[in-house]
Amino acid sequence: MHPIEKILAKAANKGRVYPGEIVNCKVDLVEINDLYLQVIDSFYEMNGSKVWDPDKVVFVFDHYAPAPTEKSAFNQNQMRKFVSNQSIKHLFEINEGVCHQVMPEAGLVYPGMILVATDSHTTTHGAFGAFGTGVGATDAATILLTGNLWFKVPEIIKIEINGELKKGVMAKDIILHILGQLGSEGAVYQAIEFTGETIKELSIDSRMVLCNMAVEIGAKTAYIHPDRKTIKYLEAMGVNISEIDMPQRDKGYVYRKEYKFNISNLEPQIASPHSVDSVSDIKNIEPKKVDQVYIGSCTGGRLEDIEAVYRVLKGRKVKKGTRCIIIPASNKVYLQAIKKGYVESLIESGITFSAPGCGACMGIHQGVICEDEVCVTTTNRNFPGRMGSTKGDVYLVSPITAATCALTGYITDPREEEFIK
Amino acid sequence: MKIVIEGKAHLFGNKIDTDQIYPGKYVELTDKKEIASHCMEGIRSGFINELIGDDIIVAGKNFGCGSSREHAVITIKEAGIKAIVAESFARIFFRNAINLGLPVITCKNILGKLKEGDDLQINLAAGKIYNKKTKEYYIGEGFPQHIMTILKHGGIKNYFIKGK
């Protein structure tokens, strides 16, 4: 069996599981964000009174951090009451950050666990060897009731990535390239394991980017086998690794499909409107004027991303006529960026900083775009209306590329700029 | 749950994602009527006014891809749409639809075989779709047992309330 199958088998109390089989699994942690008051409504509609285990429930206020409307403020208040009434252990308030950053930072994520959340990008936690998957509000409510959820055991595909990243190219470019090749249905209902020499060299932040966007290929979950880097990161976050059982891949395990990518010659990538898999080399697309650059979200708001933007813009100014917003993925990331001097330098360059959270990724607040505007962003989706008007254009890029576009005011290949040479 | 569903076909293309089905700016809403009023607004503004009361959405590949927002199913169901037939569904959307008792039938290559406004009859148990206008049959995928059980109860809430 593969580690993913072992995780599901253990949680379903079975000796072994097979792809396609339906299993009923114990959930180790369920996270609900502030988009879904429906979870609580569904819980009560199903005659729920007490959640099965208040220590295994997490609420995160990240999409409306802070609340931009009366209704969102009301929704959060209802959730606060529920957390209090149910004695739920974990509530991350509006000052903390995006769920997929604050949970690992709090030491809540570990290899071998089943982590379910009301958010599609829960696949991010595959970077820690966890089975992380997104569900809707009513599925989450059934977990609150029973502590279990049914899953169809996925087929597993392997994506092996080798080669060394060139200057000006980041993990986001790798995953965009893979998305462009496999398409947005390339792994529907399947799990993706990322492996290879490149993965070994990537930081944890970068590995999270790959797993995060696996869902855009249609995947149920993503996986990177934990190594020393993972363990070091988790221990720093307070996880007691010695108590954790890390499943290994059995010798002779056969993947459903295997892909190999060599990224030695990979150039900066861009996903054009209005589809995440409309990916090409930046040099091949029209250098349109950019109205807004957005750096943030669970895909591109980490310290490594802010550092990349800092290095591009240090001592320089954002182009007049182009707005550039940075929303750190968590207040811990924000503090680290402040201590390193990135924030001061970036503010002097003309950056707009806003409260840690999901921000404008979903078009709710903190940088919404209007008709005919072009936004270049480090987030994860560019469907029509994603960041505001359905007649606005959203391009997905890496943080280095985003920063370069802020500098020039146009869609620009970062390698054209001197600092890269 | 009705085993036979009838309705007028409303056609949509490939990769209709949850931002198009139900835009992000409305996700804070919880009132079902309000949610219904924004159905498919991201791709076809005013779609709710095209509905006749017996309606079926027919779409291409990867319908419902993107976010996990259950609103995408709620809006379609509360707008009165009886079922969705698509060439393929995204995973979370599919689960949400089953949970809320909205039949979602997978039928390969269906988009090219019918026209906007065709009258359809779906037999859920058999997984068959009949086009009353062209008198053609299309064969859809059946449901695994555990999903059929949830659908027969009208969704997972009823399944829980009535006891397994």
Side-chain angles (χ1 to χ4, degrees):
Chain A
M1 285 196 288
H2 187 277
I4 289 173
E5 291 171 328
K6 290 187 177 181
I7 294 171
L8 292 174
K10 187 177 178 190
N13 211 19
K14 290 183 140 215
R16 75 154 299 153
V17 297
Y18 297 90
E21 189 184 343
I22 304 297
V23 290
N24 199 29
C25 293
K26 273 203 196 74
V27 172
D28 294 296
L29 198 69
V30 63
E31 182 256 320
I32 296 138
N33 60 38
D34 52 355
L35 289 174
Y36 301 116
L37 187 60
Q38 184 61 49
V39 175
I40 297 172
D41 289 345
S42 291
F43 175 75
Y44 287 127
E45 279 174 58
M46 292 192 279
N47 297 333
S49 61
K50 284 282 172 210
V51 306
W52 103 102
D53 187 341
D55 289 355
K56 293 186 179 170
V57 182
V58 181
F59 271 81
V60 181
F61 294 169
D62 53 3
H63 287 72
Y64 300 103
T69 60
E70 274 185 64
K71 181 62 168 122
S72 53
F74 173 81
N75 294 347
Q76 286 177 345
N77 254 3
Q78 294 300 105
M79 290 183 183
R80 284 186 191 103
K81 285 180 183 153
F82 185 80
V83 164
S84 174
N85 292 341
Q86 297 280 343
S87 307
I88 281 164
K89 191 170 182 184
H90 305 284
L91 167 63
F92 292 88
E93 263 287 0
I94 58 155
N95 64 326
E96 304 248 23
V98 183
C99 56
H100 304 307
Q101 185 62 18
V102 300
M103 285 196 288
E105 282 174 352
L108 294 175
V109 184
Y110 53 87
M113 75 181 297
I114 292 189
L115 166 52
V116 179
T118 55
D119 191 273
S120 52
H121 294 104
T122 312
T123 53
T124 305
H125 306 288
F128 304 105
F131 180 96
T133 196
V135 296
T138 298
D139 261 340
T142 67
I143 298 174
L144 290 183
L145 274 173
T146 65
N148 291 337
L149 195 65
W150 69 263
F151 294 107
K152 186 168 158 186
V153 178
E155 294 174 326
I156 302 166
I157 66 174
K158 176 166 111 171
I159 297 183
E160 187 182 318
I161 306 167
N162 295 310
E164 207 180 307
L165 276 171
K166 274 192 167 143
K167 242 184 161 188
V169 186
M170 297 179 78
K172 182 71 173 283
D173 299 296
I174 300 177
I175 192 65
L176 283 177
H177 175 66
I178 292 172
L179 241 179
Q181 296 298 301
L182 267 56
S184 58
E185 272 195 288
V188 175
Y189 290 93
Q190 294 174 322
I192 297 176
E193 177 177 359
F194 294 103
T195 179
E197 292 307 311
T198 312
I199 302 297
K200 287 192 186 131
E201 298 305 313
L202 286 180
S203 65
I204 297 295
D205 279 4
S206 285
R207 295 179 190 184
M208 289 170 88
V209 178
L210 301 186
C211 292
N212 175 283
M213 296 226 21
V215 72
E216 307 304 334
I217 310 175
K220 177 184 300 214
T221 194
Y223 183 82
I224 292 177
H225 195 67
D227 59 10
R228 273 200 204 109
K229 231 178 238 184
T230 328
I231 291 169
K232 196 173 168 199
Y233 182 101
L234 291 171
E235 283 178 334
M237 302 302 163
V239 176
N240 190 347
I241 279 290
S242 58
E243 285 183 3
I244 284 158
D245 186 23
M246 271 193 280
Q248 303 295 318
R249 192 179 79 234
D250 289 337
K251 201 175 172 190
Y253 173 79
V254 178
Y255 292 89
R256 177 69 178 86
K257 203 163 184 181
E258 297 189 28
Y259 295 95
K260 265 192 172 135
F261 288 90
N262 190 306
I263 48 92
S264 306
N265 295 318
L266 183 67
E267 303 191 0
Q269 303 291 289
I270 188 162
S272 297
H274 294 282
S275 179
V276 287
D277 54 6
S278 302
V279 178
S280 51
D281 292 351
I282 296 178
K283 68 182 190 212
N284 292 335
I285 76 148
E286 192 199 329
K288 275 188 173 180
K289 184 183 177 306
V290 174
D291 299 292
Q292 177 171 287
V293 174
Y294 184 90
I295 291 120
S297 83
C298 55
T299 312
R302 298 186 170 85
L303 188 64
E304 181 176 275
D305 307 314
I306 298 174
E307 181 184 354
V309 179
Y310 157 78
R311 291 198 187 291
V312 171
L313 288 174
K314 188 176 174 188
R316 299 185 176 92
K317 300 270 188 207
V318 171
K319 185 81 177 174
K320 195 168 180 200
T322 301
R323 315 179 298 269
C324 187
I325 300 168
I326 296 181
I327 297 193
S330 72
N331 61 4
K332 284 197 168 77
V333 164
Y334 202 1
L335 271 172
Q336 285 174 301
I338 289 169
K339 284 178 181 157
K340 286 183 182 272
Y342 302 161
V343 176
E344 185 178 336
S345 170
L346 286 165
I347 289 175
E348 281 167 1
S349 294
I351 296 290
T352 305
F353 271 90
S354 218
C358 304
C361 179
M362 224 175 95
I364 295 173
H365 61 158
Q366 297 177 319
V368 177
I369 59 168
C370 69
E371 193 176 318
D372 294 334
E373 284 202 302
V374 170
C375 180
V376 165
T377 170
T378 67
T379 59
N380 45 60
R381 292 199 182 111
N382 59 353
F383 293 107
R386 175 69 183 174
M387 289 182 81
S389 171
T390 51
K391 297 193 174 79
D393 286 339
V394 176
Y395 292 82
L396 307 180
V397 296
S398 80
I400 287 180
T401 302
T404 312
C405 297
L407 191 62
T408 65
Y410 289 86
I411 293 179
T412 312
D413 185 320
R415 298 164 310 160
E416 286 178 25
E417 288 301 302
E418 274 175 25
F419 51 83
I420 293 291
K421 294 174 189 149
Chain B
M1 181 200 68
K2 283 175 136 187
I3 293 294
V4 177
I5 294 167
E6 307 209 335
K8 174 184 162 187
H10 300 269
L11 268 49
F12 289 88
N14 293 318
K15 295 182 198 173
I16 304 297
D17 84 299
T18 47
D19 286 302
Q20 294 175 80
I21 296 169
Y22 191 78
K25 59 186 165 188
Y26 303 124
V27 172
E28 64 179 10
L29 300 175
T30 46
D31 177 79
K32 305 252 187 306
K33 278 205 173 73
E34 273 190 280
I35 293 175
S37 69
H38 300 295
C39 186
M40 307 304 284
E41 197 176 290
I43 180 159
R44 207 186 282 181
S45 190
F47 174 65
I48 187 101
N49 302 320
E50 296 174 31
L51 302 178
I52 60 164
D54 282 306
D55 304 276
I56 294 170
I57 284 179
V58 180
K61 295 190 172 68
N62 217 3
F63 186 82
C65 59
S67 154
S68 58
R69 66 191 70 156
E70 197 163 283
H71 306 69
V73 172
I74 297 172
T75 194
I76 290 173
K77 191 162 186 235
E78 296 300 320
I81 289 154
K82 300 285 186 289
I84 307 172
V85 181
E87 295 186 358
S88 63
F89 288 95
R91 182 201 149 244
I92 303 176
F93 182 89
F94 186 86
R95 281 186 80 112
N96 286 345
I98 299 300
N99 280 340
L100 297 188
L102 177 67
V104 276
I105 303 105
T106 306
C107 187
K108 285 191 168 57
N109 303 317
I110 191 167
L111 255 196
K113 293 180 179 164
L114 41 63
K115 287 195 165 67
E116 177 82 22
D118 281 359
D119 271 308
L120 303 181
Q121 188 184 71
I122 303 172
N123 184 316
L124 279 180
K128 263 188 184 171
I129 302 148
Y130 177 58
N131 187 329
K132 287 182 185 174
K133 197 152 181 201
T134 63
K135 311 241 189 298
E136 283 179 325
Y137 276 98
Y138 317 117
I139 310 296
E141 282 175 30
F143 296 105
Q145 181 59 47
H146 76 290
I147 287 184
M148 200 57 178
T149 306
I150 298 172
L151 271 181
K152 276 193 174 147
H153 279 82
I156 202 140
K157 293 180 198 178
N158 287 346
Y159 180 66
F160 263 90
I161 294 167
K162 286 179 183 162
K164 292 165 213 190

